[in-house]
C-alpha cells in the first residue's frame, strides 16, 4: 500500500493522562498537535483510588495515594480549566479506616477515623482535601477537553519507527489492522508518552536502568476495580498480616465499587493472568466477614514492582514523558505528577524562543525524576512516607536559565541543589513553584489570584495588589501586558519578588506577606 504523508508541529504518542495533559497544554497555547494511541478502547482500570491533595499517611493511606495528583497536579488542572469537571466526577470523600486484628481477623471495635485530617486551605496552597477520581474518569474529562479544543485522539495507531531528516522528525505510524496503510508524519517535535512498554524510548536509543523494589522475588502487588456486595462503603477496610496486607477502599458508593490493592507474598498469583476470583479468596482468608461476595472484577492486574529511569529524556526533537522515562511502583503516588507541561515547547514552535531553550529539558527534569525514584524506592524500607512526595517542594534551582543573586542558592553547588529537588523549604527563591496569592484586584473591583494571572492561556490586562498590600504599592497599577507571553509572565512574577524584597527591608510585615502568599 502507498504511504500517506501528514505534517503537523507536534506528535504525541500515547493517550494516557500524560499525553492528554500535554496535548491540552499545547492546544490551549495555539499549537496544533496530533495524539495517537495504540489501544482501540479507553482505559477502564485504575491503580489508584483518586486524586490526592494531601499526604499524611497511616497504614493503608499510602495505597490511596497511588496514581494520585497531589496539590501540584490539581494546580495544573486548574490552569488547564478542567478542575470543575473533575469536581463533578468526584466519588466519595475520605473514608475512615476499619482495621482487622491479627490473628483472628475480627473487626476492631470502632474505626480509626479518617485516613488523615482535612486541613483548611492555605492562601499559598489552595487545595487541601482528598478527591476520589478514578483514572478512567480523569482520562474521560481530559479527552472531552481535547474535543472541545478541536483535537480527537486517534485510537488503534502506534509508532513503528522515527528518523530525523532536514530539521524534521519523520515518524512512521501504522494502525492495528494488518491491512492498514503505513503513514509517515513529518513533525517538528515528537513526545513519547507511550509508557514503560512503548516504542519511543527505544527509538531514541534509551533503556530503563531497572532495579527491584523488594528483595523478595515472590513479592508482588495485586490491583482490582471490583463490586463488593454486603461490604460497608463508608470505610476503608484494612488488614496487615506477616506476609500480606490488603486494603479494599470504596470509591463509588452507589455502584458498590471498590478499589482493592493487596501486596506481599504467598498470593499464588499467575503474574500475567491473575485469577478473577483471587480477590474474593484472599479477602475470605484474611477477613472473617460472612455474606460478603465479590463480583467479577472490572479490571485486575498484578505486578512485581521495580524502580528505574533513563539516562536521557530527549534526542534531537524527540522527548520522553511520564512512564516512558521512568518506572516506579504505584504506591509512590507519583504517576501523573511526573508530567510537566512544556510551555517552552510552545514558545519555540511560535518562534518566540530559540530551540536551544529545549536543551534544558534534561537538565531540569532528570534530577527531579532521580529524586522521585529514590523517594519511592525508600517506601519499601521506611514505615512512613516522606512529606516531600506531596510534590509542592519540587524546584529547578540548578537550571542554567535560573538566576538568583539574593538567596543562598548562589553559594550552593549544583549537586547540593539537585539533592533538594523535592524539598524547596520555606524560603521562596528563583526556580521554585510559585505559590498562590489570593485577593489581587484587576481594574477597580474584580478580585483574582496569582494562579489566575500565571495561567499561560489567559492574558489579563492589569493587576493591583489587595488592600492589605496597597499601602506598599501606593495606588499604582502594575501593567501586565507586554509584547510577548514570556515577558508578560515575568512581569507577573515581579509581584512576588517585590513582596519578598519589602519583607526583607522591613517595609512589609511577614503576617501580611503570609496572607498574600
Amino acid at each position: 500500500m502507498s504511504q500517506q504523508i501528514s505534517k503537523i508541529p507536534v506528535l504525541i504518542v500515547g493517550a494516557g493522562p500524560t499525553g492528554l495533559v500535554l496535548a491540552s497544554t499545547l492546544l490551549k497555547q495555539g499549537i496544533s498537535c496530533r495524539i495517537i494511541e495504540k489501544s482501540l478502547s479507553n482505559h477502564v482500570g485504575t491503580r489508584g483510588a483518586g486524586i490526592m491533595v494531601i499526604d499524611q499517611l497511616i497504614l493503608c493511606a499510602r495505597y490511596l495515594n497511588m496514581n494520585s495528583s497531589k496539590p501540584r497536579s490539581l494546580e495544573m488542572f486548574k490552569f488547564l480549566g478542567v478542575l470543575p469537571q473533575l469536581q463533578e466526577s468526584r466519588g466519595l470523600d475520605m473514608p475512615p479506616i476499619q482495621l482487622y486484628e491479627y490473628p483472628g481477623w475480627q473487626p476492631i471495635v470502632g474505626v480509626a477515623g479518617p485516613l488523615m485530617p482535612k486541613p483548611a486551605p492555605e492562601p499559598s496552597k489552595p487545595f487541601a482535601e482528598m478527591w476520589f477520581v478514578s483514572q478512567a474518569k480523569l482520562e474521560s474529562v481530559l479527552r472531552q477537553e481535547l474535543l472541545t479544543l478541536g483535537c480527537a485522539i486517534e485510537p488503534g495507531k502506534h509508532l513503528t519507527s522515527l528518523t530525523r531528516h532536514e530539521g524534521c522528525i519523520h515518524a512512521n505510524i501504522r494502525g492495528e489492522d494488518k491491512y492498514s496503510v503505513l503513514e509517515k508524519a513529518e513533525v517538528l517535535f515528537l513526545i513519547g508518552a507511550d509508557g514503560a512498554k512503548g516504542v519511543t524510548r527505544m527509538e531514541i536509543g534509551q533503556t530503563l536502568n531497572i532495579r527491584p523494589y523488594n528483595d523478595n522475588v515472590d513479592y508482588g502487588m495485586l490491583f482490582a476495580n471490583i463490586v463488593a456486595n454486603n461490604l460497608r462503603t463508608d470505610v476503608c477496610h484494612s488488614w496487615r498480616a506477616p506476609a500480606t496486607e490488603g486494603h479494599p477502599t470504596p470509591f463509588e458508593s452507589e455502584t458498590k465499587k471498590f478499589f482493592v490493592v493487596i501486596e506481599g507474598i504467598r498470593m499464588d498469583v499467575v503474574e500475567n493472568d491473575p485469577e478473577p476470583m483471587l480477590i474474593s479468596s484472599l479477602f475470605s482468608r484474611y477477613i472473617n466477614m460472612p455474606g460478603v461476595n465479590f463480583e467479577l472484577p472490572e479490571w485486575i492486574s498484578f505486578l512485581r514492582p521495580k524502580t528505574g529511569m533513563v539516562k536521557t529524556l530527549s534526542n534531537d526533537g524527540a522527548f520522553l514523558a511520564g512512564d516512558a522515562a521512568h518506572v516506579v511502583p504505584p504506591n509512590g503516588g507519583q504517576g501523573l505528577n511526573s508530567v510537566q507541561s512544556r510551555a517552552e515547547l510552545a514558545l519555540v514552535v511560535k518562534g518566540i524562543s530559540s530551540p536551544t531553550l529545549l536543551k534544558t529539558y534534561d537538565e531540569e527534569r532528570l534530577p527531579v525524576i532521580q529524586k522521585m525514584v529514590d523517594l519511592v524506592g525508600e517506601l519499601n524500607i521506611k514505615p512512613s512516607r516522606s512529606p516531600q512526595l506531596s510534590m509542592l517542594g519540587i524546584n529547578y534551582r540548578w537550571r542554567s536559565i535560573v538566576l538568583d543573586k539574593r538567596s543562598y542558592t548562589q553559594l550552593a553547588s549544583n549537586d547540593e541543589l539537585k539533592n533538594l529537588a523535592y524539598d524547596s523549604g520555606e524560603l521562596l527563591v528563583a526556580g521554585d513553584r510559585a505559590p498562590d496569592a489570593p485577593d489581587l484586584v484587576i481594574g477597580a473591583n474584580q478580585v483574582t489570584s496569582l494562579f489566575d494571572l500565571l495561567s499561560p492561556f489567559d492574558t489579563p490586562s492589569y493587576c493591583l495588589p489587595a488592600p492589605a498590600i496597597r499601602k506598599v504599592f501606593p495606588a499604582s497599577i502594575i501593567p501586565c501586558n507586554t509584547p510577548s507571553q514570556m515577558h508578560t509572565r515575568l512581569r507577573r512574577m515581579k509581584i512576588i519578588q517585590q513582596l519578598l524584597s519589602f519583607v526583607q527591608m522591613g517595609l512589609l510585615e511577614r503576617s501580611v506577606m503570609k496572607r498574600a502568599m
Side-chain angles (χ1 to χ4, degrees):
M1 301 292 287
S2 60
Q3 287 187 341
Q4 295 179 343
I5 299 178
S6 63
K7 296 183 179 181
I8 199 162
V10 181
L11 172 66
I12 298 174
V13 182
T18 298
L20 294 171
V21 166
L22 290 170
S24 182
T25 301
L26 291 170
L27 290 165
K28 283 179 177 287
Q29 295 179 92
I31 304 301
S32 297
C33 65
R34 181 180 175 188
I35 180 167
I36 61 173
E37 167 57 46
K38 183 176 182 180
S39 176
L40 288 167
S41 58
N42 296 328
H43 185 75
V44 295
T46 181
R47 288 179 176 167
I51 297 175
M52 310 304 166
V53 219
I54 46 181
D55 204 1
Q56 289 175 284
L57 292 215
I58 56 175
L59 207 60
C60 66
R62 59 181 171 144
Y63 298 100
L64 293 180
N65 280 271
M66 295 181 190
N67 198 32
S68 57
S69 295
K70 308 287 190 307
R72 189 129 176 157
S73 290
L74 286 178
E75 292 171 359
M76 177 179 64
F77 292 142
K78 176 178 173 63
F79 288 144
L80 290 176
V82 298
L83 208 57
Q85 298 94 303
L86 290 175
Q87 174 115 17
E88 293 175 1
S89 300
R90 290 176 63 173
L92 299 172
D93 289 333
M94 173 78 71
I97 307 171
Q98 174 63 69
L99 301 174
Y100 296 82
E101 64 181 356
Y102 172 82
W105 307 119
Q106 294 295 327
I108 295 175
V109 176
V111 293
L115 289 173
M116 55 199 78
K118 183 177 179 179
E122 299 178 25
S124 63
K125 303 171 185 176
F127 303 107
E129 59 181 350
M130 175 180 281
W131 290 11
F132 284 126
V133 181
S134 71
Q135 180 179 335
K137 288 189 175 180
L138 170 62
E139 292 184 7
S140 176
V141 167
L142 293 173
R143 285 194 301 271
Q144 185 58 47
E145 182 67 11
L146 288 188
L147 288 175
T148 302
L149 296 170
C151 177
I153 297 167
E154 300 177 45
K157 293 185 178 181
H158 64 278
L159 177 72
T160 61
S161 62
L162 62 88
T163 57
R164 189 81 183 181
H165 182 65
E166 295 183 350
C168 291
I169 292 176
H170 291 179
N172 292 319
I173 301 170
R174 187 179 291 279
E176 292 302 293
D177 187 339
K178 63 180 180 180
Y179 300 109
S180 63
V181 176
L182 179 66
E183 177 187 353
K184 179 175 287 187
E186 187 176 296
V187 300
L188 294 175
F189 302 102
L190 182 145
I191 301 175
D194 44 353
K197 298 180 181 179
V199 174
T200 311
R201 183 178 62 253
M202 293 181 287
E203 285 296 311
I204 69 170
Q206 287 297 304
T207 59
L208 289 168
N209 182 20
I210 298 292
R211 62 179 184 266
Y213 174 70
N214 189 292
D215 293 335
N216 192 319
V217 295
D218 293 326
Y219 176 87
M221 293 179 173
L222 180 69
F223 308 90
N225 299 161
I226 193 168
V227 172
N229 296 305
N230 303 317
L231 184 62
R232 289 176 59 182
T233 59
D234 58 341
V235 295
C236 167
H237 305 268
S238 180
W239 79 81
R240 175 170 289 177
T244 308
E245 58 183 89
H247 315 284
T249 302
F251 65 90
E252 289 180 2
S253 58
E254 297 82 6
T255 60
K256 301 178 182 178
K257 190 176 293 185
F258 284 74
F259 162 68
V260 180
V261 58
I262 302 173
E263 72 151 319
I265 59 176
R266 304 175 192 168
M267 288 192 285
D268 303 320
V269 180
V270 178
E271 187 162 349
N272 295 320
D273 187 23
E275 168 60 44
M277 297 307 296
L278 186 59
I279 297 292
S280 180
S281 63
L282 288 172
F283 186 86
S284 300
R285 183 190 307 175
Y286 291 113
I287 297 183
N288 183 16
M289 192 176 292
V292 174
N293 63 82
F294 292 87
E295 298 181 8
L296 290 177
E298 177 184 55
W299 175 83
I300 187 169
S301 177
F302 178 82
L303 65 85
R304 300 201 185 278
K306 302 175 180 65
T307 63
M309 60 180 290
V310 296
K311 292 182 178 180
T312 301
L313 295 167
S314 60
N315 183 6
D316 205 12
F319 302 88
L320 298 177
D323 289 346
H326 56 75
V327 56
V328 290
N331 61 331
Q334 302 298 287
L336 184 58
N337 300 291
S338 63
V339 182
Q340 300 294 316
S341 60
R342 303 314 307 162
E344 294 94 335
L345 188 59
L347 293 171
V348 172
V349 173
K350 290 180 178 180
I352 296 174
S353 297
S354 165
T356 56
L357 176 64
L358 301 178
K359 293 182 179 180
T360 64
Y361 181 53
D362 280 48
E363 176 193 26
E364 167 192 316
R365 296 297 301 156
L366 281 174
V368 173
I369 294 175
Q370 181 63 68
K371 194 64 178 179
M372 175 189 72
V373 170
D374 293 343
L375 289 171
V376 175
E378 292 173 357
L379 293 177
N380 183 52
I381 57 176
K382 292 186 177 181
S384 60
R385 294 166 61 99
S386 167
Q388 296 176 23
L389 290 174
S390 68
M391 307 286 293
L392 288 176
I394 288 180
N395 62 85
Y396 308 106
R397 295 174 176 179
W398 60 88
R399 199 176 178 193
S400 58
I401 63 173
V402 170
L403 178 63
D404 191 329
K405 292 187 176 182
R406 298 190 306 169
S407 72
Y408 80 94
T409 56
Q410 62 178 317
L411 304 175
S413 68
N414 272 359
D415 287 341
E416 291 172 321
L417 295 176
K418 291 174 183 178
N419 191 49
L420 297 174
Y422 256 66
D423 185 10
S424 58
E426 295 297 323
L427 179 65
L428 182 67
V429 302
D432 287 357
R433 159 195 171 270
D436 198 9
D439 299 328
L440 301 177
V441 179
I442 293 179
N445 52 19
Q446 184 180 348
V447 179
T448 186
S449 71
L450 186 63
F451 276 3
D452 290 328
L453 295 176
L454 287 175
S455 171
F457 317 123
D458 301 311
T459 310
S461 54
Y462 294 99
C463 169
L464 185 66
I469 317 293
R470 198 168 289 160
K471 61 180 181 180
V472 184
F473 296 85
S476 62
I477 293 179
I478 302 173
C480 287
N481 280 337
T482 59
S484 72
Q485 178 106 14
M486 175 69 82
H487 194 194
T488 301
R489 296 179 68 187
L490 291 173
R491 280 289 224 173
R492 294 168 187 165
M493 288 303 298
K494 286 185 178 180
I495 299 171
I496 292 179
Q497 295 170 350
Q498 287 177 295
L499 290 174
L500 285 169
S501 65
F502 284 131
V503 168
Q504 293 170 347
M505 291 186 294
L507 299 177
L508 185 63
E509 294 293 331
R510 284 190 178 274
S511 59
V512 176
M513 180 69 176
K514 187 174 182 180
R515 289 197 300 272
M517 301 293 286

